[in-house]
Amino acid sequence: MVRGFPPEEFEARWERLRSAMTQARLDAVLVSTEANFQYICGFSSQTWVSPTRPRYLILPRNSDPVAIVPTSNAQGIFATTPVRDVRTWQAPNPSDDGISLVVGALREIALSYGAIGTELGPESRLGFPVGDFLRLVEATRPIEIIDASKLIMRLRMIKSPREIDKIRAVAHVASDCFERLPEMIKPRTTIRDVCRLLQAELIKSGADKAPYVVGEAGLGGYETVMMGPDDHILSSGDLIFIDTGAVYDSYFCDFDRHYGVNYVLGEASRAYDAVYRATEVGLAAAKPGRRVSEVWRAMTGSLTSAGVEATYVGRMGHGIGLNHTEPPSVNSTDNTMLEPGLVFTLEPNAQYELSNHAGQKKLMVHEENVVVTDSGIELLSNRAAPQITILSFSS
Amino acid sequence: MVRGFPPEEFEARWERLRSAMTQARLDAVLVSTEANFQYICGFSSQTWVSPTRPRYLILPRNSDPVAIVPTSNAQGIFATTPVRDVRTWQAPNPSDDGISLVVGALREIALSYGAIGTELGPESRLGFPVGDFLRLVEATRPIEIIDASKLIMRLRMIKSPREIDKIRAVAHVASDCFERLPEMIKPRTTIRDVCRLLQAELIKSGADKAPYVVGEAGLGGYETVMMGPDDHILSSGDLIFIDTGAVYDSYFCDFDRHYGVNYVLGEASRAYDAVYRATEVGLAAAKPGRRVSEVWRAMTGSLTSAGVEATYVGRMGHGIGLNHTEPPSVNSTDNTMLEPGLVFTLEPNAQYELSNHAGQKKLMVHEENVVVTDSGIELLSNRAAPQITILSFSS
């Protein structure tokens, strides 16, 4: 599959961004995080792993974009992006890591509104030190520096066919790896080693990275979906939960799968059945013109009829794309309209108690990835099996 | 190897941090980034991949630490950290993602100095939206919110024996994988697939993650160390450069290796020889009591005598630990004293031209990982071979 995007993809993004800037009365946007920098110009580099050297990209409403990057990044900007105004400094330079260049570039922008947007809002981060942000705000007065993260995210939420191709590709790789995983697991393996097997298989099978491979295993269920894997050795009756965020060409898939060791306790099977059915209801409810909150309500209704208890996870799905999680949130308050190109996860979750075992409540979190189409949705992950897959180990 | 740290490790860190706070006249530090949060309490979770839900940790100078985390993270804090005051909210909640709890907790702190430190300085980031930071500054007046990133980083720079064990472990895994790589590469492979092989091998061999696996290959050399890998197919005379940042139990190693396909052009061999010798000089110069800038000067002197040209990379090494790159910077201006426990990379680099080929200058970047001991340094990576390793493909 072709990597990157042709120039017309970025031309279309710039046009939409500039039109959104006009509506929001912004003269430019300044971005410094990997996802937004890449969204605007296509720069893809693993150096974002390191926090030492910041990178800045300015897209003015009425003039050409400006990249302000360490000297060592300039070749990459010229070779892989349509940005031609590239300004550099020898980084790291703790006393001025590019910030005076940014201030200079912002001052050159022709102002109609006196406002420049940057990444300040919910779910956003800044890709450079806040001390430098405060200096920038002072040095560019009277220009107002306000939030543009929601504006950019609204555009990013609706993926182009080329973006969807990338997410579909990595979701298929992850689906295949999850389906092959049972053959690969040997008895008395730790859940950590199961995650290791899956991570290596994802890479070998075509994912570029698998930054997120969480696994939990325990008799009859698991109590967190954020902390594992640990060194628990698989044994009969364990329910295995594995969740992966894998990446192809910078785009994430994000879904989980369950396996039982030899057998699954009835309470776990019933909880799985409830979230599986809730997902079916969510898949049927997700159509263009509906709202995200309606999909949440449909799934919640299904879980309530099944008599299972709600959890503290806080939502039942979220957007995916250049970030592992991004807006919208599938919950009661997010009224984002489903439009063709919106890619998100359906993630109904429940909690349950084991009747014969004291202790904490168990979680059951199911997840699939979908894209909204003209008439409904397309599943990007291969649909999970209606029953938990059993690994048969003779012990 | 044991994962995590025993309670006394955190007690020692808190004692050092509190004593640094007193010196800096700070009543508390507030951290929200993965590395600093983990340094202070040991919380290790892959959910930091997602920017949706922020997490906050406050260590007051005179009272117990407070974690402010999404409800879904509370179990992990209790189970894996010594923090007992855990305050939660149902995230995501875009209108108040924990920030009012943070303001409340900061207001409870007994003030001696009226100042609280957070992550604002060079090489730091904030782990929550800047819009919320600005709200926090307003809501906590007259408390001053100032930088504590340098103070925390000065402590983090000097690793404990347990931290060094983790870096040594992952550096050995990466060294072994680099040494086995030649047997694994088949003729007519792309550099992307070579990186894929290495990444999978790192995971299978015991690294938890390999967030950074950059590769470049080309006749006689490479022109960037930040952009690859791409789909270039290996052919005779190619110089292969691979750099990896791999992780064990949250600690990074970071070094590179070179391979030649069938042969290496003389210019590349000479440049390799120059950076190899500069590394030897750097290894000999690195001793407790010397300064980082002296190590830089020793390596620069060696490169100058070898007649090679300086590059735009901006430094010749850096600290490693919970971040892929962290202070100090091995350059002319960083006068950090080498102390036992300082872990850093020696990374001399040069550029050269190919006499028979037009085009851009080639880079040559060599790298090893070391820890300062009582009497000198210990190599954490297995020392690279003095000549570029040749892959022999019959074509």
Side-chain angles (χ1 to χ4, degrees), chain A residues 50-128:
Chain A
S50 152
T52 297
R53 296 175 176 90
R55 288 162 205 88
Y56 306 87
L57 183 64
I58 300 167
L59 183 69
R61 198 173 64 95
N62 282 322
S63 52
D64 290 333
V66 182
I68 297 161
V69 297
T71 314
S72 52
N73 289 204
Q75 188 266 5
I77 298 283
F78 281 118
T80 66
T81 84
V83 179
R84 285 297 160 268
D85 186 346
V86 182
R87 308 180 189 182
T88 64
W89 81 100
Q90 189 90 339
N93 175 13
S95 66
D96 182 6
D97 255 324
I99 202 69
S100 63
L101 289 174
V102 175
V103 168
L106 292 179
R107 282 198 184 137
E108 288 168 20
I109 292 168
L111 299 177
S112 303
Y113 308 117
I116 287 170
T118 192
E119 298 153 294
L120 307 179
E123 302 194 40
S124 78
R125 298 288 182 274
L126 206 63
F128 61 102

Side-chain angles (χ1 to χ4, degrees), chain A residues 3 45-46 50-53 73 120-121 123 125 127 129 131 192 196 199 203 207-211 213 226 313 325, chain B residues 3 45-46 50-53 73 120-121 123 125 127 129 131 192 196 199 203 207-211 213 226 313 325:
Chain A
R3 288 190 177 251
S45 163
Q46 296 177 66
S50 152
T52 297
R53 296 175 176 90
N73 289 204
L120 307 179
E123 302 194 40
R125 298 288 182 274
R192 195 189 301 283
R196 201 180 287 292
Q199 195 187 160
I203 303 308
D208 296 333
K209 300 273 164 180
V213 184
M226 313 216 147
V313 170
T325 69
Chain B
R3 287 188 178 253
S45 164
Q46 296 176 65
S50 152
T52 298
R53 295 176 176 89
N73 289 204
L120 307 179
E123 302 195 40
R125 299 288 183 274
R192 195 188 302 282
R196 200 180 288 291
Q199 195 186 160
I203 303 308
D208 296 331
K209 300 272 165 181
V213 184
M226 311 216 149
V313 170
T325 68

Side-chain angles (χ1 to χ4, degrees), chain B residues 138-180:
Chain B
E138 285 303 319
T140 54
R141 283 190 201 283
I143 300 174
E144 275 191 286
I145 308 293
I146 62 179
D147 181 50
S149 64
K150 292 191 209 80
L151 174 159
I152 301 170
M153 189 47 82
R154 268 198 301 275
L155 301 182
R156 277 180 47 197
M157 270 203 294
I158 306 305
K159 271 71 181 176
S160 73
R162 295 184 189 94
E163 291 181 287
I164 296 165
D165 283 347
K166 295 177 199 295
I167 304 175
R168 187 188 290 111
V170 70
H172 284 177
V173 166
S175 294
D176 291 349
C177 289
F178 272 131
E179 287 167 18
R180 282 199 300 276

Side-chain angles (χ1 to χ4, degrees), chain A residues 243-256:
Chain A
D243 191 4
T244 187
V247 172
Y248 174 79
D249 207 14
S250 304
Y251 283 81
F252 274 92
C253 68
D254 176 21
F255 58 100
D256 65 38

Side-chain angles (χ1 to χ4, degrees), chain B residues 26 32 43 77 155 242 246 277-279 348 382 392 395:
Chain B
L26 290 176
S32 57
F43 181 70
I77 298 283
L155 301 182
I242 306 184
R277 285 166 190 269
T279 307
N382 296 353
S392 296
S395 54

Side-chain angles (χ1 to χ4, degrees), chain B residues 241-308:
Chain B
F241 159 87
I242 306 184
D243 191 5
T244 187
V247 172
Y248 175 79
D249 207 14
S250 305
Y251 283 81
F252 274 93
C253 69
D254 176 22
F255 58 99
D256 65 38
R257 291 296 179 258
H258 292 83
Y259 308 91
V261 181
N262 289 330
Y263 69 92
V264 175
L265 288 180
E267 296 91 334
S269 289
R270 280 190 290 279
Y272 184 86
D273 189 58
V275 294
Y276 185 89
R277 285 166 190 269
T279 307
E280 293 291 310
V281 170
L283 291 169
K287 284 185 170 48
R290 294 261 175 92
R291 293 183 186 277
V292 167
S293 53
E294 294 178 77
V295 178
W296 179 86
R297 251 190 301 281
M299 292 195 288
T300 301
S302 171
L303 291 171
T304 308
S305 338
V308 297

Side-chain angles (χ1 to χ4, degrees), chain B residues 63-380:
Chain B
S63 52
D64 291 333
V66 182
I68 297 161
V69 297
T71 313
S72 53
N73 289 204
Q75 189 266 5
I77 298 283
F78 281 117
T80 66
T81 84
V83 179
R84 284 298 160 266
D85 185 347
V86 183
R87 309 181 189 181
T88 64
W89 81 100
Q90 188 91 338
N93 175 14
S95 66
D96 181 7
D97 255 325
I99 202 69
S100 63
L101 290 173
V102 176
V103 168
L106 292 179
R107 281 197 185 140
E108 288 169 20
I109 291 168
L111 298 177
S112 301
Y113 308 118
I116 288 170
T118 192
E119 299 154 293
L120 307 179
E123 302 195 40
S124 79
R125 299 288 183 274
L126 206 62
F128 62 101
V130 174
D132 282 349
F133 171 78
L134 299 174
R135 286 166 67 188
L136 180 152
V137 169
E138 285 303 319
T140 54
R141 283 190 201 283
I143 300 174
E144 275 191 286
I145 308 293
I146 62 179
D147 181 50
S149 64
K150 292 191 209 80
L151 174 159
I152 301 170
M153 189 47 82
R154 268 198 301 275
L155 301 182
R156 277 180 47 197
M157 270 203 294
I158 306 305
K159 271 71 181 176
S160 73
R162 295 184 189 94
E163 291 181 287
I164 296 165
D165 283 347
K166 295 177 199 295
I167 304 175
R168 187 188 290 111
V170 70
H172 284 177
V173 166
S175 294
D176 291 349
C177 289
F178 272 131
E179 287 167 18
R180 282 199 300 276
L181 193 60
E183 308 150 24
M184 300 167 62
I185 304 177
K186 296 201 172 54
R188 311 210 56 72
T189 307
T190 63
I191 180 66
R192 195 188 302 282
D193 280 334
V194 173
C195 290
R196 200 180 288 291
L197 278 174
L198 179 67
Q199 195 186 160
E201 191 68 14
L202 286 163
I203 303 308
K204 286 195 289 183
S205 306
D208 296 331
K209 300 272 165 181
Y212 192 87
V213 184
V214 163
E216 293 284 339
L219 181 65
Y222 50 94
E223 291 146 23
T224 164
V225 291
M226 311 216 149
M227 295 306 297
D230 63 13
D231 293 314
H232 173 87
I233 296 169
L234 301 184
S235 63
S236 267
D238 275 0
L239 180 66
I240 302 172
F241 159 87
I242 306 184
D243 191 5
T244 187
V247 172
Y248 175 79
D249 207 14
S250 305
Y251 283 81
F252 274 93
C253 69
D254 176 22
F255 58 99
D256 65 38
R257 291 296 179 258
H258 292 83
Y259 308 91
V261 181
N262 289 330
Y263 69 92
V264 175
L265 288 180
E267 296 91 334
S269 289
R270 280 190 290 279
Y272 184 86
D273 189 58
V275 294
Y276 185 89
R277 285 166 190 269
T279 307
E280 293 291 310
V281 170
L283 291 169
K287 284 185 170 48
R290 294 261 175 92
R291 293 183 186 277
V292 167
S293 53
E294 294 178 77
V295 178
W296 179 86
R297 251 190 301 281
M299 292 195 288
T300 301
S302 171
L303 291 171
T304 308
S305 338
V308 297
E309 198 179 337
T311 77
Y312 51 75
V313 170
R315 58 183 181 180
M316 295 204 190
H318 55 80
I320 49 175
L322 289 166
N323 283 127
H324 181 219
T325 68
E326 52 184 56
S329 281
V330 182
N331 62 19
S332 64
T333 57
D334 192 324
N335 291 316
T336 301
M337 189 73 80
L338 300 189
E339 284 177 53
L342 181 72
V343 179
F344 69 109
T345 74
L346 291 173
E347 192 173 2
N349 46 81
Q351 58 185 2
Y352 60 99
E353 280 177 279
L354 299 181
S355 54
N356 296 320
H357 305 268
Q360 262 187 296
K361 288 184 179 169
K362 304 295 183 187
L363 283 177
M364 178 62 71
V365 181
H366 196 65
E367 195 170 20
E368 299 286 8
N369 295 169
V370 302
V371 55
V372 179
T373 63
D374 289 334
S375 57
I377 50 109
E378 175 196 337
L379 259 169
L380 298 175

